[in-house]
Amino acid sequence: MIFDMDSGGSTKRLGEGGDQRWYIDSTYASSLKVSLRLPTRQFLEEYYQPTLRLSQLAKYVMAEVKMPSGHIDQPVIEDNRDGTVSIKYDPREEGVHELYVKYNGEHVQGSPYKFHVDSIFSGYVTAYGPGLTSGVSGEPSQFTISTKGAGAGGLSMAVEGPSKAEITCHDNKDGTVAVSYLPTAPGEYKISVRFGDKHIKGSPFIAKVTGEGRKRNQISVGSCSEVTLPGKVNDNDIRSLNASIQAPSGLEEPCFLKRLPSGNIGISFTPREAGQHIVSVKKMGVHIQNSPFNITVQEQEVGDAKKVKVAGTALKEGKTQGENTFTVDTRNAGYGGLSLSIEGPSKAEIQCADSTDGVLAISYKPTEPGYYIVNLKFADHHVEGSPFTVKVSGEGSNRQREKIQRQRDPAPLTEVGTNCKLTFKMPGITSFDLAATVTSPGGVSEDAEIQEVEDGLYSVHFVPKELGVHTVSVKYREIHIPGSPFQFTVGPLRDSGSHLVKAGGAGLERGEAGRFNEFNVWTREAGAGQLAISLEGPSKAEIDFKDRRDGSCDVSYKVDEPGEYRIGLKFNEQHIPDSPFKVYISPAVGDAHLLEVAQFPDSAQVDKPTQFYIRLNGAKGSLDGRVISPSGKTDDCFIQNIDGDQYSIRFMPRENGVHNINVKFNGVHIPASPLRIKVGKDDADPAAVHAHGPGLGSVKTGAKTDLIIDTCNAGAGILAVTMDGPSRVAMDCTEVEEGYKVRYTPLAPGFYYMSVKYNGHHIVGSPFKIEASGENLAEIGAQETSSVTVETVQKVSKGAQKQGPVLPHFKSDATKVTSKGMGLKKAYLNKHNQFTVHAGDAGNNILYVGIYGPKGPCDEVQLKHKGKNNYECWYVVRDRGEYIVIVKWGDDHIPGSPYKVEV
């Protein structure tokens, strides 16, 4: 929704979307104009009116304005005849107005919209400036207050929001006051301006503060209470056991099983309150022996952030390119985890050292000057003074930053039976080595067609047979391409937002200076919004963008200097998963582009040597090769000259999974590097992993919840679950029959994002957006991250059956089917006995006819379709007796079926 002000023929854009307030000067504004973009014509024709025309759109839009007096006024609605309508309104009262916009009886996104109307010559105190509507975390936001002609009175200001904001004022001696405030965290801030103890017009103002250009780093240091379990527990049992602890208030959290220094098995947990706690230890949902049992937590054991002592000037000011150190003393604060995050113009390196006297020495090293925000929590509560605002001075690293923004329109809606397309760019490969499969919501997998649209650009085509979320797997030489597996929704989207945007391609992994490096961005599942692409590093970047108009786009960038760069991708001002991406740009390839790879194997086996060949083609220099295993271990390759310009590269894989082989010439990657090879047959497949359960829906703070991650038929791999949100969560992961159960307890209300990765790849639907509601049990500050990692074992579904094609979803009514004919009443031996079935008014489905007699099925049954769902049936019987004739339209009997027939 775009607000425009008509002002003598010129237009001033005030803002976009959301529940925002705007200050409108009615002296200069003759009318309020709203441009509303409606769904596409194709969507309207299919879902609203079969004969709807663009010229009729206006009559489906309803708008009204609620004035400050409470009266309702009607604005003017005009059809722009381009898929949009304009809503115009001439304000007649001063004060806050509300604009209600409905389409087909439903509020459009953001409705109702609030705007304020006032006269500039009213004699009231007024405020204006960018700081009243927007800002950037860690940077001063400014606005101006004018008191000209307002008379005597006291002026007061307040800023409320996700963080404390320091306010400074300067009297300009001309009837105006310059105001600056420093927000330390992104979010919505409420700015109140009062004159004579009364809000000025438009107050409180709502300013949206983003974290644009900010980098964040965090560490956590544990300090938990440990209790020995009663009875004996074997090491082998720990894998399938899960434990939880319930506090006197009813708060239940997962706790961790571990081998204690004494050699016994015990639990580790963070006590949050004093009193008797109940510990439950279960195996496959059943209490083990002696469970549950009680433990008592003393008052002095409960973590108390108020008793934590911090010291050091580094929490007030710091220097770039050097260590800035402060101390944290938790010795008298009980048990609790200490978490630290630092956010600012650069990602500061954090070091933590535990001295002999139990006091932590924490240092951070920023590389850019500016304001940094330090969040320091103990037992999920801020220590005194946190968050700290630190002014860092000194020389920067002269990093350059470039950014572009592009509006992304919603992708065309797809339906059952229509051709669906997913495109991706992957230069330098052959389509012969590409393969794609599509798995329907019902779990049926089918091969999909891959077409080469142009050089390096490919599209996957499939025709869905059911509505819902499909999984599209695209593999190159049996390995998922970057971004795969993809989520593809057939029918209306069920969710939207930045967490559903995907990005992948060589340009997000590595690049070369002086040439364009490319990657893909898929926004189809996220809906409409604004995509922002930023690149920061040693030199300024040239960024190019190409929209494929199917919910995907191609991004390319070129930089002149080698070094480490960060690529930030945001959708509607929120980072997409895994953003920002760290990319190393190598120097110009030079002679490395002459090298060719030959006889590269399709796969390899553990503990068996594997080799391939490199041809130098006249290039002069040194060749180097290193192999990186799935666990991250790096090993040198053995390189041997075979004949002149040809070399062999040999390595010995030690584990199953996808290995990366870095081949460099004169220190620069050759064009095909890194080469990827799959070792072993049972490689983990993220496309086969699925998550379900109450823990992925709406959850309550303080209540333990869980979800199942189904790894059946997905092979063995590394399962990593990460949760980002307003608080840390106690989280554990235990083995169950169909995979793994993840349990967690959120402590603060708000949105959490759970990433589920299998061998480094997001599973379909990840990250999942989870909303927690209820009482706030922890202090909200910067985003907190919790994670758990498990090395899985191979699981096979007991109920696994051979999958076949899926039947179409029919819309039919068997009660409207009619039938007639002597063959439904009486039959004769060795003759054609006939009847007809008429289903012309019963929709579409499949007709089933079965005839069973005293000795089994009859000898012959034939059906003939006569057109328009009218059928003719005849059958032949060889024995006397009573027969049953069954006639079904789909799964339902038609009226009269089953019939009794005498022969």
Side-chain angles (χ1 to χ4, degrees):
M1 195 61 75
I2 301 172
F3 284 75
D4 290 333
M5 288 297 300
D6 281 354
S7 173
S10 64
T11 302
K12 180 182 178 185
R13 179 167 171 160
L14 294 181
E16 291 189 2
D19 183 6
Q20 304 184 32
R21 300 183 182 182
W22 306 102
Y23 188 84
I24 298 175
D25 183 351
S26 63
T27 302
Y28 294 100
S30 59
S31 67
L32 173 70
K33 177 184 175 183
V34 178
S35 296
L36 170 64
R37 179 162 295 281
L38 299 173
T40 64
R41 177 177 179 178
Q42 178 186 0
F43 180 81
L44 292 167
E45 289 178 347
E46 290 179 4
Y47 289 90
Y48 291 104
Q49 283 290 338
T51 59
L52 185 65
R53 302 189 187 282
L54 290 175
S55 59
Q56 299 175 317
L57 290 180
K59 67 182 183 181
Y60 291 89
V61 180
M62 188 279 289
E64 60 184 20
V65 175
K66 184 178 180 181
M67 299 187 290
S69 62
H71 293 108
I72 303 297
D73 207 356
Q74 300 298 323
V76 176
I77 302 175
E78 294 181 355
D79 192 339
N80 299 325
R81 300 183 181 276
D82 61 354
T84 69
V85 297
S86 294
I87 301 172
K88 297 181 179 180
Y89 177 63
D90 293 314
R92 294 181 287 133
E93 294 182 6
E94 295 182 2
V96 177
H97 293 59
E98 291 184 351
L99 171 65
Y100 295 83
V101 184
K102 291 183 179 181
Y103 182 70
N104 258 15
E106 298 289 338
H107 280 281
V108 302
Q109 185 177 359
S111 176
Y113 302 89
K114 294 182 180 180
F115 61 94
H116 189 90
V117 178
D118 187 24
S119 170
I120 200 166
F121 301 119
S122 62
Y124 289 109
V125 175
T126 56
Y128 56 91
L132 294 176
T133 57
S134 62
V136 177
S137 168
E139 296 181 11
S141 296
Q142 288 100 9
F143 62 92
T144 302
I145 301 174
S146 174
T147 59
K148 295 177 182 178
L155 188 65
S156 62
M157 285 151 287
V159 178
E160 301 173 59
S163 70
K164 62 182 180 182
E166 185 178 332
I167 305 173
T168 58
C169 300
H170 176 72
D171 189 348
N172 296 326
K173 307 297 184 183
D174 60 357
T176 63
V177 177
V179 182
S180 175
Y181 66 96
L182 182 65
T184 59
E188 279 194 351
Y189 286 75
K190 184 169 70 173
I191 303 161
S192 300
V193 182
R194 289 181 171 89
F195 185 72
D197 293 330
K198 291 184 179 180
H199 278 286
I200 70 170
K201 291 296 182 71
S203 176
F205 302 91
I206 303 297
K208 192 169 186 179
V209 173
T210 67
E212 189 65 47
R214 311 282 287 171
K215 283 84 177 176
R216 183 170 174 268
N217 201 3
Q218 70 173 34
I219 62 166
S220 296
V221 182
S223 172
C224 297
S225 178
E226 296 174 345
V227 178
T228 302
L229 287 180
K232 292 186 178 180
V233 178
N234 297 324
D235 283 345
N236 295 334
D237 289 335
I238 293 182
R239 189 186 190 98
S240 57
L241 293 179
N242 61 56
S244 61
I245 185 165
Q246 186 173 14
S249 65
L251 172 66
E252 187 177 6
E253 293 183 279
C255 50
F256 303 97
L257 290 160
K258 60 183 290 187
R259 182 165 292 283
L260 303 179
S262 62
N264 296 322
I265 301 297
I267 62 164
S268 175
F269 69 100
T270 300
R272 302 188 186 280
E273 53 189 281
Q276 193 174 73
H277 291 58
I278 302 173
V279 177
S280 299
V281 182
K282 296 180 179 180
K283 181 178 182 179
M284 297 294 184
V286 179
H287 284 281
I288 67 170
Q289 187 178 2
N290 299 318
S291 175
F293 63 93
N294 297 330
I295 62 171
T296 301
V297 174
Q298 305 297 328
E299 188 71 42
Q300 64 270 21
E301 295 177 311
V302 178
D304 186 353
K306 296 177 182 177
K307 295 181 180 178
V308 175
K309 297 177 181 179
V310 294
T313 58
L315 290 175
K316 295 181 180 179
E317 57 186 10
K319 294 288 185 181
T320 60
Q321 319 301 338
E323 302 290 346
N324 301 276
T325 305
F326 60 93
T327 59
V328 180
D329 185 353
T330 62
R331 289 175 295 181
N332 299 317
Y335 291 102
L338 181 72
S339 63
L340 166 73
S341 69
I342 300 178
E343 183 178 314
S346 68
K347 187 173 183 178
E349 293 181 14
I350 304 174
Q351 300 289 335
C352 181
D354 192 355
S355 61
T356 54
D357 59 359
V359 177
L360 293 172
I362 299 175
S363 63
Y364 62 93
K365 184 179 179 181
T367 58
E368 301 291 338
Y371 287 97
Y372 287 74
I373 312 304
V374 179
N375 284 279
L376 190 58
K377 287 184 178 182
F378 183 76
D380 297 308
H381 287 77
H382 283 284
V383 305
E384 190 172 347
S386 176
F388 302 91
T389 303
V390 182
K391 186 176 182 180
V392 173
S393 57
E395 293 294 324
S397 57
N398 295 320
R399 291 175 70 83
Q400 305 290 313
R401 190 168 189 271
E402 185 64 30
K403 175 184 173 183
I404 65 169
Q405 290 182 320
R406 295 293 185 269
Q407 184 65 30
R408 306 294 292 137
D409 293 329
L413 192 74
T414 54
E415 278 299 324
V416 171
T418 61
N419 182 46
C420 295
K421 182 176 71 170
L422 184 146
T423 58
F424 62 94
K425 198 164 190 180
M426 202 168 173
I429 66 168
T430 59
S431 58
F432 180 78
D433 292 322
L434 284 171
T437 58
V438 178
T439 304
S440 70
V444 177
S445 296
E446 293 182 329
D447 291 336
E449 179 188 6
I450 297 181
Q451 297 178 356
E452 187 168 9
V453 181
E454 58 184 55
D455 187 28
L457 181 64
Y458 302 89
S459 60
V460 179
H461 294 264
F462 67 98
V463 178
K465 297 176 181 176
E466 55 183 304
L467 293 172
V469 176
H470 291 62
T471 301
V472 181
S473 297
V474 184
K475 293 183 178 181
Y476 175 67
R477 302 184 70 172
E478 299 187 8
I479 299 173
H480 283 279
I481 71 168
S484 178
F486 300 92
Q487 175 175 314
F488 195 105
T489 302
V490 177
L493 296 178
R494 300 178 182 180
D495 195 6
S496 62
S498 61
H499 63 292
L500 294 172
V501 178
K502 277 205 168 191
L508 288 179
E509 300 170 1
R510 59 183 174 83
E512 179 190 340
R515 64 179 292 272
F516 277 101
N517 306 282
E518 296 178 306
F519 61 90
N520 302 276
V521 181
W522 296 273
T523 61
R524 182 187 184 277
E525 295 294 302
Q530 190 174 69
L531 178 67
I533 305 159
S534 63
L535 203 144
E536 183 181 290
S539 65
K540 203 169 183 63
E542 180 184 344
I543 306 176
D544 194 24
F545 176 93
K546 185 177 181 181
D547 189 355
R548 301 188 195 120
R549 304 198 177 281
D550 62 352
S552 67
C553 56
D554 175 41
V555 180
S556 59
Y557 64 91
K558 183 171 72 172
V559 295
D560 295 328
E561 298 292 333
E564 186 181 285
Y565 288 76
R566 288 184 182 272
I567 300 176
L569 297 176
K570 287 186 175 183
F571 191 76
N572 288 343
E573 299 183 351
Q574 298 291 324
H575 276 288
I576 74 166
D578 303 321
S579 173
F581 300 85
K582 185 190 291 185
V583 180
Y584 180 76
I585 303 296
S586 65
V589 170
D591 283 350
H593 78 278
L594 298 173
L595 274 67
E596 290 180 315
V597 179
Q599 299 182 35
F600 190 81
D602 293 328
S603 60
Q605 297 298 319
V606 171
D607 295 331
K608 290 186 178 181
T610 302
Q611 72 175 4
F612 58 96
Y613 299 93
I614 298 288
R615 297 192 187 101
L616 299 189
N617 295 323
K620 302 297 182 183
S622 60
L623 190 65
D624 178 59
R626 296 176 72 83
V627 60
I628 303 171
S629 68
S631 64
K633 294 179 181 178
T634 302
D635 196 10
D636 291 328
C637 297
F638 180 74
I639 301 176
Q640 184 178 9
N641 182 253
I642 302 297
D643 180 25
D645 270 8
Q646 184 161 300
Y647 287 77
S648 73
I649 296 183
R650 189 167 69 249
F651 65 97
M652 181 87 74
R654 301 294 185 186
E655 57 186 277
N656 286 322
V658 177
H659 289 58
N660 288 318
I661 305 166
N662 292 328
V663 181
K664 294 182 179 181
F665 187 71
N666 292 335
V668 178
H669 280 279
I670 69 172
S673 176
L675 299 154
R676 305 177 80 201
I677 187 170
K678 186 170 73 171
V679 176
K681 294 183 179 179
D682 297 322
D683 182 32
D685 185 5
V689 181
H690 304 281
H692 61 88
L696 293 178
S698 296
V699 298
K700 296 288 185 182
T701 58
K704 179 170 61 67
T705 186
D706 59 61
L707 61 133
I708 298 294
I709 299 176
D710 188 340
T711 61
C712 288
N713 307 313
I718 304 298
L719 175 65
V721 183
T722 303
M723 198 142 182
D724 291 292
S727 76
R728 286 180 61 83
V729 298
M731 183 165 58
D732 71 353
C733 181
T734 53
E735 186 178 349
V736 292
E737 187 175 355
E738 65 268 46
Y740 295 84
K741 176 186 280 189
V742 175
R743 305 181 308 158
Y744 68 93
T745 303
L747 299 177
F751 287 106
Y752 293 78
Y753 293 90
M754 177 181 283
S755 295
V756 181
K757 289 185 176 183
Y758 207 56
N759 265 20
H761 293 267
H762 283 280
I763 72 170
V764 167
S766 171
F768 300 90
K769 185 179 181 181
I770 301 165
E771 183 175 11
S773 59
E775 186 181 351
N776 190 4
L777 305 175
E779 287 189 56
I780 298 177
Q783 285 284 101
E784 301 274 1
T785 301
S786 312
S787 62
V788 61
T789 302
V790 175
E791 189 171 342
T792 69
V793 295
Q794 188 169 352
K795 298 273 185 176
V796 179
S797 174
K798 289 185 177 180
Q801 296 178 348
K802 187 177 179 181
Q803 296 174 334
V806 174
L807 291 176
H809 284 260
F810 295 111
K811 292 183 179 180
S812 63
D813 185 357
T815 63
K816 294 182 179 180
V817 180
T818 60
S819 61
K820 61 181 179 180
M822 184 59 71
L824 294 175
K825 300 174 183 178
K826 193 172 184 179
Y828 297 92
L829 290 173
N830 301 315
K831 291 188 177 181
H832 283 194
N833 301 281
Q834 291 183 316
F835 63 91
T836 57
V837 178
H838 307 281
D841 298 326
N844 290 318
N845 217 312
I846 298 173
L847 180 67
Y848 298 95
V849 176
I851 301 173
Y852 197 86
K855 296 183 180 180
C858 72
D859 291 347
E860 293 181 61
V861 180
Q862 286 202 12
L863 272 175
K864 187 174 183 180
H865 184 220
K866 308 291 286 185
K868 297 183 179 180
N869 284 346
N870 293 314
Y871 298 85
E872 186 179 272
C873 178
W874 60 264
Y875 61 94
V876 177
V877 293
R878 308 294 185 193
D879 300 295
R880 298 180 186 274
E882 189 178 83
Y883 284 74
I884 298 293
V885 178
I886 295 174
V887 183
K888 284 186 173 184
W889 189 235
D891 293 329
D892 301 314
H893 285 276
I894 72 169
S897 175
Y899 301 89
K900 278 188 179 182
V901 178
E902 287 290 335
V903 176

